[in-house]
Coordinates of all heavy atoms in Angstrom, one line a residue:
A1 N 106.3 -62.0 55.3 CA 106.2 -60.9 54.2 C 105.1 -61.3 53.3 O 105.1 -62.4 52.7 CB 107.5 -60.8 53.5
A2 N 104.2 -60.4 53.0 CA 103.0 -60.6 52.2 C 103.1 -59.7 50.9 O 103.5 -58.6 51.0 CB 101.7 -60.4 52.9
S3 N 102.7 -60.3 49.8 CA 102.6 -59.5 48.6 C 101.4 -60.0 47.8 O 100.9 -61.1 48.0 CB 103.9 -59.7 47.7 OG 104.1 -61.0 47.4
G4 N 100.9 -59.1 47.0 CA 99.7 -59.4 46.1 C 98.4 -59.2 46.8 O 97.3 -59.4 46.2
I5 N 98.4 -58.7 48.1 CA 97.2 -58.3 48.8 C 97.4 -56.9 49.4 O 98.6 -56.5 49.6 CB 96.8 -59.3 49.9 CG1 98.0 -59.5 50.9 CG2 96.4 -60.6 49.3 CD1 97.6 -60.3 52.1
T6 N 96.4 -56.3 49.8 CA 96.5 -55.0 50.6 C 96.6 -55.5 52.0 O 95.7 -55.7 52.8 CB 95.2 -54.2 50.4 OG1 95.1 -53.9 49.0 CG2 95.4 -52.8 51.1
F7 N 97.9 -55.6 52.4 CA 98.2 -56.3 53.7 C 97.5 -55.6 54.9 O 97.0 -56.3 55.8 CB 99.7 -56.2 53.9 CG 100.2 -56.9 55.2 CD1 100.0 -58.3 55.3 CD2 100.8 -56.2 56.2 CE1 100.5 -59.0 56.4 CE2 101.3 -56.9 57.3 CZ 101.1 -58.2 57.5
S8 N 97.4 -54.3 54.8 CA 96.8 -53.5 55.9 C 95.3 -53.8 56.2 O 94.7 -53.5 57.2 CB 97.0 -52.0 55.7 OG 96.3 -51.6 54.5
R9 N 94.7 -54.5 55.2 CA 93.3 -54.9 55.4 C 93.1 -56.3 55.9 O 92.0 -56.7 56.2 CB 92.6 -54.8 54.0 CG 92.5 -53.4 53.5 CD 91.7 -53.4 52.1 NE 91.7 -52.0 51.6 CZ 91.1 -51.7 50.4 NH1 90.6 -52.7 49.6 NH2 91.1 -50.5 50.0
Y10 N 94.2 -57.0 56.1 CA 94.1 -58.4 56.6 C 94.6 -58.5 58.0 O 95.6 -58.0 58.4 CB 95.0 -59.3 55.7 CG 94.3 -59.6 54.3 CD1 94.2 -58.6 53.4 CD2 93.8 -60.8 54.1 CE1 93.6 -58.9 52.1 CE2 93.2 -61.1 52.9 CZ 93.1 -60.1 51.9 OH 92.5 -60.4 50.7
A11 N 93.9 -59.3 58.8 CA 94.4 -59.8 60.1 C 95.5 -60.8 59.8 O 95.6 -61.3 58.7 CB 93.3 -60.4 60.9
M12 N 96.3 -61.0 60.8 CA 97.4 -62.0 60.6 C 97.5 -62.9 61.8 O 97.3 -62.4 63.0 CB 98.7 -61.2 60.4 CG 99.9 -62.1 60.0 SD 101.4 -61.2 60.1 CE 101.7 -61.0 61.8
S13 N 97.8 -64.1 61.6 CA 98.0 -65.1 62.7 C 99.2 -65.9 62.4 O 99.6 -66.2 61.3 CB 96.7 -66.0 62.8 OG 95.6 -65.3 63.0
W14 N 99.7 -66.4 63.5 CA 100.8 -67.4 63.5 C 100.3 -68.7 64.1 O 99.7 -68.7 65.2 CB 102.0 -66.9 64.3 CG 102.8 -65.8 63.7 CD1 102.7 -64.5 63.9 CD2 103.9 -66.0 62.7 NE1 103.6 -63.8 63.1 CE2 104.4 -64.7 62.4 CE3 104.5 -67.1 62.1 CZ2 105.4 -64.5 61.5 CZ3 105.5 -66.9 61.2 CH2 106.0 -65.6 60.9
Y15 N 100.6 -69.8 63.4 CA 100.3 -71.1 63.9 C 101.6 -71.9 64.0 O 102.6 -71.5 63.4 CB 99.3 -71.8 62.9 CG 97.9 -71.3 62.8 CD1 97.6 -70.0 62.2 CD2 96.9 -72.0 63.4 CE1 96.3 -69.6 62.2 CE2 95.6 -71.5 63.4 CZ 95.3 -70.3 62.7 OH 94.0 -69.8 62.7
R16 N 101.5 -73.0 64.6 CA 102.6 -73.9 64.6 C 102.1 -75.4 64.6 O 101.0 -75.7 65.1 CB 103.5 -73.7 65.8 CG 102.9 -74.0 67.2 CD 103.9 -73.6 68.3 NE 103.4 -73.9 69.6 CZ 104.0 -73.5 70.7 NH1 105.1 -72.8 70.7 NH2 103.4 -73.8 71.9
Q17 N 102.9 -76.2 64.1 CA 102.6 -77.7 64.1 C 103.8 -78.5 64.5 O 104.8 -78.4 63.7 CB 102.1 -78.1 62.7 CG 101.5 -79.5 62.7 CD 100.7 -79.8 61.5 OE1 100.8 -79.1 60.5 NE2 99.9 -80.9 61.6
A18 N 103.8 -79.1 65.6 CA 104.9 -80.0 66.0 C 104.6 -81.4 65.5 O 103.5 -81.8 65.1 CB 104.9 -80.0 67.5
P19 N 105.7 -82.2 65.3 CA 105.6 -83.6 64.8 C 104.5 -84.4 65.6 O 104.5 -84.4 66.8 CB 107.0 -84.1 65.0 CG 107.9 -83.0 65.0 CD 107.1 -81.9 65.6
G20 N 103.6 -85.0 64.8 CA 102.6 -85.8 65.4 C 101.5 -85.1 66.1 O 100.6 -85.7 66.8
K21 N 101.5 -83.7 66.0 CA 100.4 -82.9 66.6 C 99.6 -82.1 65.6 O 100.1 -81.9 64.5 CB 101.0 -82.0 67.7 CG 101.7 -82.7 68.9 CD 102.1 -81.8 70.0 CE 102.6 -82.5 71.2 NZ 103.0 -81.6 72.3
E22 N 98.5 -81.7 66.0 CA 97.7 -80.8 65.2 C 98.2 -79.4 65.1 O 98.9 -79.0 66.1 CB 96.2 -80.8 65.6 CG 95.5 -82.2 65.5 CD 94.1 -82.0 65.8 OE1 93.6 -81.0 66.2 OE2 93.3 -83.1 65.6
R23 N 97.9 -78.7 64.1 CA 98.3 -77.3 64.0 C 97.5 -76.5 65.0 O 96.3 -76.7 65.2 CB 98.0 -76.8 62.6 CG 98.6 -75.4 62.3 CD 98.5 -75.0 60.8 NE 99.2 -76.0 59.9 CZ 99.3 -75.7 58.6 NH1 98.8 -74.6 58.1 NH2 100.0 -76.6 57.9
E24 N 98.2 -75.6 65.7 CA 97.6 -74.8 66.7 C 97.9 -73.3 66.5 O 98.9 -72.9 66.0 CB 98.1 -75.2 68.1 CG 99.6 -75.0 68.4 CD 100.0 -75.3 69.8 OE1 99.1 -75.5 70.7 OE2 101.2 -75.3 70.1
L25 N 96.9 -72.5 66.9 CA 97.1 -71.1 66.9 C 98.0 -70.6 68.0 O 97.9 -71.0 69.1 CB 95.7 -70.4 67.1 CG 95.7 -68.9 67.1 CD1 96.2 -68.3 65.8 CD2 94.3 -68.4 67.5
V26 N 99.0 -69.8 67.6 CA 100.0 -69.3 68.5 C 99.6 -67.8 68.9 O 99.6 -67.5 70.1 CB 101.4 -69.3 67.9 CG1 102.4 -68.7 68.9 CG2 101.8 -70.8 67.6
A27 N 99.4 -67.0 67.9 CA 99.1 -65.6 68.2 C 98.4 -65.0 67.0 O 98.5 -65.5 65.9 CB 100.4 -64.8 68.5
G28 N 97.6 -63.9 67.3 CA 96.9 -63.2 66.2 C 97.0 -61.7 66.4 O 97.2 -61.3 67.6
I29 N 96.8 -61.0 65.3 CA 96.9 -59.5 65.4 C 95.9 -59.0 64.4 O 95.7 -59.5 63.3 CB 98.3 -59.0 65.2 CG1 98.4 -57.5 65.5 CG2 98.8 -59.3 63.8 CD1 99.8 -57.0 65.6
S30 N 95.2 -57.9 64.8 CA 94.2 -57.3 63.9 C 94.9 -56.6 62.8 O 96.1 -56.4 62.8 CB 93.3 -56.3 64.7 OG 94.2 -55.3 65.2
S31 N 94.1 -56.2 61.8 CA 94.7 -55.6 60.6 C 95.4 -54.3 60.9 O 96.4 -54.0 60.3 CB 93.6 -55.3 59.6 OG 92.5 -54.5 60.1
A32 N 94.9 -53.5 61.9 CA 95.5 -52.2 62.3 C 96.6 -52.4 63.3 O 97.3 -51.5 63.6 CB 94.4 -51.3 62.8
G33 N 96.6 -53.6 63.9 CA 97.7 -53.9 64.9 C 97.3 -53.5 66.3 O 98.1 -53.5 67.2
D34 N 96.0 -53.1 66.5 CA 95.6 -52.6 67.8 C 95.1 -53.7 68.7 O 94.8 -53.4 69.9 CB 94.6 -51.5 67.6 CG 93.4 -51.9 66.8 OD1 93.5 -52.9 66.1 OD2 92.4 -51.1 66.8
R35 N 94.9 -54.9 68.2 CA 94.4 -56.0 69.0 C 95.2 -57.2 68.8 O 95.5 -57.5 67.6 CB 92.9 -56.3 68.7 CG 92.0 -55.1 69.0 CD 90.5 -55.6 68.9 NE 90.2 -56.1 67.6 CZ 90.0 -55.4 66.5 NH1 89.9 -54.1 66.6 NH2 89.7 -56.0 65.4
T36 N 95.6 -57.9 69.8 CA 96.4 -59.1 69.7 C 95.8 -60.2 70.7 O 95.1 -59.9 71.6 CB 97.8 -58.9 70.2 OG1 97.9 -58.4 71.5 CG2 98.5 -57.9 69.2
N37 N 96.1 -61.4 70.4 CA 95.7 -62.5 71.2 C 96.8 -63.6 71.2 O 97.5 -63.7 70.2 CB 94.3 -63.1 70.8 CG 94.3 -63.7 69.5 OD1 94.2 -63.0 68.5 ND2 94.4 -65.0 69.4
Y38 N 96.9 -64.4 72.2 CA 98.0 -65.3 72.3 C 97.4 -66.6 72.9 O 96.5 -66.6 73.8 CB 99.1 -64.8 73.3 CG 99.8 -63.6 72.8 CD1 99.3 -62.3 73.1 CD2 100.9 -63.7 71.9 CE1 100.0 -61.2 72.6 CE2 101.5 -62.6 71.4 CZ 101.1 -61.3 71.8 OH 101.7 -60.2 71.3
A39 N 98.1 -67.7 72.5 CA 97.8 -69.0 73.2 C 98.4 -68.9 74.6 O 99.4 -68.2 74.8 CB 98.5 -70.1 72.4
Y40 N 97.8 -69.6 75.5 CA 98.2 -69.5 76.9 C 99.7 -70.0 77.0 O 100.4 -69.4 77.8 CB 97.3 -70.4 77.7 CG 97.7 -70.5 79.2 CD1 97.3 -69.4 80.0 CD2 98.4 -71.5 79.7 CE1 97.6 -69.5 81.4 CE2 98.8 -71.6 81.0 CZ 98.4 -70.5 81.9 OH 98.8 -70.6 83.2

């Protein structure tokens, strides 16, 4: 949940970080929601 920004103008991504590992990109979505990408 985002507040304080015009959320519809922002792309959004999910990352994760496991213990002892670097943060990695999991998935992303465009501001309009029409494009997505995923980690393999």
